[in-house]
């Protein structure tokens, strides 16, 4: 038997090494919920809930109170039948990070019972992935310094946060490109631009010969037409992040032909919607990246296993654990600079 006998939520706060500044938000710490699921075989599965109020309207204090509701929903169910449990947990659709952490803890418990890593349960498509690292907003000088450091440490994909000041943003991306030749760039405006500003940004940089691999969420989440306008009036591939939370969001983005890329984050979709989005985007010939919120190594472990198991992602933006102070590393993976594989 592999029946769930207990579910436990534990609040955990992690400080950032330095405040993380993106459009409209500066984070100094990340408060997450560690999820522990126990089965009648005495096995424990671990997951992490890392909510974003900015993206999903989720407050960790409210989510913490859902422990009882989750218990009532899944205690007595068998982790071997994890798809049945996923369906029950899909009812928590308005708290997708809870869905993510609990669904993953179920997979982790099953994986421990059969002594097979989660990425094999999901298909074992890849043995290794490479993550980017992110340069948060700061002065131009500090951003360039940070990018050079990241690049020199062996990270070949650099994610650059922009969106609060068009002129400065153009300059900073230009300067970083000059100093990190050979790197690839993901530029994320976190909804900071109007469609016209986004096109201006892309045109100026393109004329300067700078290649950007992904231009992420230039406009507000609800502006699907804006995304489409930018997609067809500029050269860089456009990605939806804040616009793409559930599988229904992605279905609409596909129908509207609004973007080239989807940024999947488990905390926006849970594991079940993430798997559905992967199949939908593959079918529609869209490309995928995987990102994170404020996960510790415990939460990044979830995305690493999904990424390796499904092999679905062109870019991996799984670096939040590198920005947070942790007492101990909790991932079941090994990381050497950008390269990540399962132990
Ligand atoms: Mg983003």
């Amino acid at each position: 038997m592999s029946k769930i006998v207990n579910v436990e939520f534990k609040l955990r706060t992690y400080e950032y090494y330095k405040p993380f500044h993106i459009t409209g938000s500066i984070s100094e710490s990340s408060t997450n919920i560690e999820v522990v699921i126990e089965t009648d075989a005495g096995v424990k599965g671990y997951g992490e809930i890392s909510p974003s109020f900015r993206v999903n309207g989720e407050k960790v204090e409210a989510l913490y109170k859902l422990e009882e509701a989750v218990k009532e929903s899944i205690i007595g169910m068998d982790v071997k039948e994890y798809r049945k449990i996923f369906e029950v947990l899909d009812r928590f659709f308005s708290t997708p990070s809870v869905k993510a952490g609990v669904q993953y803890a179920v997979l982790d418990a099953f994986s421990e019972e059969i002594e097979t890593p989660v990425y094999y349960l999901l298909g074992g498509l890849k043995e290794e992935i490479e993550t980017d690292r992110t340069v948060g907003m700061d002065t131009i000088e500090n951003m360039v310094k940070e990018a050079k450091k990241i690049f020199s440490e062996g990270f070949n994909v650099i994610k650059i946060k922009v969106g609060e000041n068009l002129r400065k943003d153009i300059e900073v991306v230009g300067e970083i490109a000059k100093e990190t030749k050979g790197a690839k760039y993901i530029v994320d405006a976190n909804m900071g631009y109007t469609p016209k500003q986004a096109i201006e940004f892309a045109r100026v940089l393109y004329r300067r010969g700078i290649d950007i691999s992904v231009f992420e969420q230039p406009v507000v989440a609800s502006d699907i037409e804006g995304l489409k306008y930018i997609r067809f009036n500029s050269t860089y591939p456009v990605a939806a992040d804040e616009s793409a939370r559930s599988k229904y969001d992605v279905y609409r983005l596909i129908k509207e032909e609004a973007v080239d890329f989807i940024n999947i984050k488990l905390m926006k979709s849970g594991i079940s919607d993430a798997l559905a989005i992967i199949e939908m985007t593959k079918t529609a010939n869209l490309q995928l990246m995987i990102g994170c919120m404020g996960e510790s190594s415990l939460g990044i472990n979830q995305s690493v296993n999904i990424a390796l198991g499904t092999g679905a992602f062109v870019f991996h933006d799984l670096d939040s654990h590198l920005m947070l102070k942790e007492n101990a590393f909790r991932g079941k993976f090994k990381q050497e600079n950008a390269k990540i594989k399962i132990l």
Side-chain angles (χ1 to χ4, degrees):
M1 296 305 281
S2 324
K3 283 194 173 151
I4 297 171
V5 292
N6 197 25
V7 181
E8 210 183 331
F9 279 13
K10 296 174 182 174
L11 279 175
R12 303 268 187 236
T13 297
Y14 304 94
E15 305 293 321
Y16 279 91
Y17 283 107
K18 66 172 219 179
F20 184 43
H21 183 181
I22 67 170
T23 301
S25 147
I26 300 175
S27 305
E28 289 183 4
S29 66
S30 175
T31 300
N32 299 335
I33 298 168
E34 180 178 326
V35 182
V36 189
I37 279 179
E38 204 178 334
T39 73
D40 57 1
V43 159
K44 285 183 176 172
Y46 293 89
E48 187 178 52
I49 297 166
S50 181
S52 166
F53 184 60
R54 187 184 66 84
V55 179
N56 287 328
E58 294 180 302
K59 281 282 185 195
V60 74
E61 298 81 357
L63 304 186
Y64 186 61
K65 297 212 163 88
L66 289 175
E67 186 191 67
E68 275 310 309
V70 171
K71 275 185 183 166
E72 277 169 26
S73 302
I74 65 169
I75 280 183
M77 295 187 82
D78 192 321
V79 294
K80 288 201 295 290
E81 299 169 347
Y82 70 82
R83 277 286 186 174
K84 281 187 190 168
I85 305 176
F86 280 12
E87 281 187 11
V88 169
L89 291 167
D90 276 338
R91 293 179 206 152
F92 289 85
F93 59 85
S94 57
T95 51
S97 66
V98 171
K99 240 176 75 170
V102 179
Q103 286 182 334
Y104 193 83
V106 170
L107 282 181
D108 192 53
F110 180 35
S111 135
E112 288 294 326
E113 283 221 10
I114 61 170
E115 295 177 355
T116 303
V118 171
Y119 85 110
Y120 278 139
L121 302 183
L122 297 172
L125 260 284
K126 280 185 183 168
E127 284 298 319
E128 186 177 282
I129 53 170
E130 210 179 308
T131 182
D132 66 9
R133 282 214 66 175
T134 304
V135 177
M137 278 198 264
D138 202 332
T139 61
I140 292 176
E141 192 191 350
N142 285 346
M143 288 178 76
V144 174
K145 208 167 112 192
E146 181 75 17
K148 279 169 79 173
K149 182 167 171 275
I150 286 170
F151 191 54
S152 73
E153 287 170 355
F155 293 87
N156 296 314
V157 183
I158 302 172
K159 177 155 168 170
I160 308 166
K161 291 291 192 181
V162 298
E164 285 187 353
N165 181 336
L166 184 64
R167 294 289 140 216
K168 177 208 159 190
D169 294 344
I170 289 171
E171 200 180 330
V172 83
V173 174
E175 286 301 309
I176 288 175
K178 235 186 262 169
E179 298 288 340
T180 57
K181 288 217 179 334
K184 289 189 168 177
Y185 308 104
I186 298 172
V187 173
D188 188 0
N190 287 109
M191 314 190 280
Y193 296 146
T194 64
K196 284 183 180 176
Q197 285 176 323
I199 284 168
E200 170 77 1
F201 175 85
R203 284 188 180 164
V204 174
L205 288 170
Y206 183 75
R207 276 201 298 270
R208 290 189 195 169
I210 292 163
D211 195 23
I212 291 173
S213 300
V214 186
F215 187 13
E216 206 182 318
Q217 197 69 44
V219 293
V220 291
S222 58
D223 192 3
I224 307 304
E225 282 183 15
L227 286 173
K228 187 173 181 175
Y229 178 71
I230 299 157
R231 182 189 187 196
F232 288 111
N233 286 283
S234 63
T235 46
Y236 305 134
V238 173
D241 178 6
E242 284 88 341
S243 297
R245 303 201 314 238
S246 70
K247 61 186 173 188
Y248 306 107
D249 293 335
V250 174
Y251 180 55
R252 184 176 167 208
L253 289 163
I254 290 171
K255 280 210 295 190
E256 303 273 346
E257 302 185 330
V259 291
D260 304 282
F261 262 87
I262 301 290
N263 184 354
I264 292 183
K265 289 176 181 164
L266 299 182
M267 296 304 143
K268 295 185 298 185
S269 315
I271 312 297
S272 49
D273 271 31
L275 295 174
I277 292 169
I278 288 169
E279 295 309 324
M280 271 198 286
T281 47
K282 268 194 205 166
T283 311
N285 280 320
L286 261 64
Q287 293 190 289
L288 281 170
M289 59 183 283
I290 185 164
C292 55
M293 299 292 189
E295 289 101 315
S296 71
S297 53
L298 182 65
I300 288 297
N301 181 62
Q302 305 173 149
S303 301
V304 163
N305 275 277
I306 301 289
L308 287 167
T310 64
F313 304 95
V314 182
F315 293 109
H316 307 85
D317 174 27
L318 301 176
D319 65 344
S320 57
H321 64 303
L322 304 174
M323 301 162 88
L324 296 170
K325 294 177 196 166
E326 288 187 75
N327 292 331
F329 177 76
R330 309 275 311 275
K332 295 178 182 176
F333 62 91
K334 197 173 83 182
Q335 179 160 14
E336 271 173 52
N337 299 322
K339 291 189 169 49
I340 294 177
K341 57 170 116 175
I342 298 296
L343 298 167

